[in-house]
């Protein structure tokens, strides 16, 4: 038996994955509003080729949707239901009629990430649901790989989330329309999100300009 590094099928597989995940999306999506709006405006105006790190992230996220699709066949779930509210598009997974957001976590840290909660809250607001489920799949923890959190919002809190979605969508759309990414807010002063700058393909250009 001979085991060698690499494969003659590597480039073909990566090319197919890129074709699947690199398609430009039309409209304003919830994912444009959750993290760094400025980065998303840059992506819209100055698209760059996705790299292997991107492909891994997309593929891992896709796995959770496949699992939900299996449940959907049993009538217990709806996978990737597209909903448009006030011009904002959300691709939402539902379990027993409740929005569920599934995240893959490779570390042992199961603490709730604020931006995950924000995304789930947006989906709750878009579906008028007072309850949402956040599920962490702890891939390196065999003893307790599933970590569930239930998020509950009252009607007033849902209304506030709807206003937040509207405001952030306006910031995004105005920056895109004016072709000016610097008109959109960024995350370099947000302690919960500043890590994004380390992976952002536009960080050098973004940080070269003083705010």
């Amino acid at each position: 038996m001979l085991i060698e590094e690499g494969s003659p099928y590597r480039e073909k597989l990566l090319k197919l994955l890129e074709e699947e995940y690199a398609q430009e999306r039309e409209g304003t999506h919830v994912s444009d509003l959750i993290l760094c709006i400025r980065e998303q405006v840059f992506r819209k105006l100055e698209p760059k080729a996705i790299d292997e790190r991107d492909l891994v992230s997309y593929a891992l996220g896709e796995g959770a949707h496949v699992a939900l699709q299996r449940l959907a066949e049993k009538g217990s779930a709806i996978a990737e239901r597209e909903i448009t509210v006030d011009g904002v598009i959300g691709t939402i997974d539902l379990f027993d009629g409740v929005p569920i957001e599934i995240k893959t976590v490779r570390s042992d840290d199961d603490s709730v990430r604020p931006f995950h909660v924000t995304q789930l809250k947006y989906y709750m607001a878009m579906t008028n649901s007072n309850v949402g489920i956040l599920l962490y799949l702890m891939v390196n923890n065999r003893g307790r790989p599933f970590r569930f959190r239930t998020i509950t919002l009252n009607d007033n809190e849902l209304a506030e989330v709807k206003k937040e979605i509207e405001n952030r969508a306006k910031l995004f759309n105005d920056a895109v329309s004016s072709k000016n990414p610097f008109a959109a807010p960024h995350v370099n002063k947000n302690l919960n999100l500043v890590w994004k700058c380390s992976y952002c393909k536009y960080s050098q250009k973004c940080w070269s300009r003083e705010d």
Side-chain angles (χ1 to χ4, degrees):
M1 180 174 66
L2 177 65
I3 300 177
E4 298 178 294
E5 176 73 20
S7 167
Y9 299 100
R10 179 182 187 278
E11 296 305 320
K12 182 178 181 179
L13 175 60
L14 292 179
K15 186 175 185 297
L16 289 172
L17 286 171
E18 183 175 351
E19 290 174 356
E20 175 67 21
Y21 295 116
Q23 300 177 30
E24 176 65 24
R25 299 183 308 173
E26 298 294 329
T28 303
H29 293 254
V30 167
S31 57
D32 294 322
L33 313 178
I34 298 298
L35 296 170
C36 184
I37 296 181
R38 183 179 297 179
E39 179 188 10
Q40 296 304 109
V41 176
F42 268 119
R43 284 185 173 183
K44 182 76 73 172
L45 299 177
E46 303 174 21
K48 294 182 181 291
I50 63 176
D51 56 27
E52 291 186 19
R53 182 193 294 271
D54 297 324
L55 291 177
V56 168
S57 296
Y58 295 146
L60 285 173
E62 192 72 17
H65 294 300
V66 171
L68 272 178
Q69 189 64 52
R70 295 289 187 269
L71 294 180
E73 295 170 1
K74 299 178 180 295
S76 301
I78 298 175
E80 297 190 289
R81 176 183 176 186
E82 187 172 291
I83 297 176
T84 302
V85 178
D86 295 331
V88 177
I89 303 167
T91 304
I92 304 174
D93 296 322
L94 299 169
F95 180 72
D96 277 354
V98 173
I100 180 170
E101 187 62 22
I102 303 177
K103 299 296 184 183
T104 302
V105 179
R106 289 176 289 281
S107 71
D108 289 328
D109 180 12
D110 73 337
S111 60
V112 175
R113 282 63 165 173
F115 50 94
H116 292 163
V117 175
T118 298
Q119 184 174 3
L120 179 57
K121 285 164 59 178
Y122 282 18
Y123 291 155
M124 292 166 63
M126 294 177 75
T127 56
N128 289 310
S129 175
N130 295 99
V131 179
I133 303 168
L134 180 60
L135 170 58
Y136 284 160
L137 301 180
M138 312 294 293
V139 296
N140 292 322
N141 189 319
R142 294 186 178 182
R144 193 181 168 207
F146 293 93
R147 308 292 173 86
F148 286 87
R149 305 297 200 291
T150 301
I151 309 299
T152 304
L153 299 175
N154 60 39
D155 290 342
N156 289 335
E157 290 169 328
L158 275 181
E160 288 299 316
V161 173
K162 291 176 182 178
K163 290 180 183 178
E164 181 179 323
I165 296 172
E166 181 181 347
N167 291 338
R168 291 181 69 83
K170 186 177 187 308
L171 289 170
F172 174 79
N173 289 321
D174 286 351
V176 171
S177 298
S178 65
K179 295 182 169 52
N180 179 18
F182 296 97
H186 58 132
V187 298
N188 71 345
K189 294 181 181 178
N190 185 326
L191 295 180
N192 290 320
L193 296 176
V194 69
W195 55 268
K196 278 286 294 175
C197 298
S198 300
Y199 301 98
C200 178
K201 298 174 182 177
Y202 306 94
S203 59
Q204 185 174 1
K205 184 172 184 178
C206 177
W207 283 63
S208 66
R209 173 169 170 170
E210 182 178 356
D211 286 302

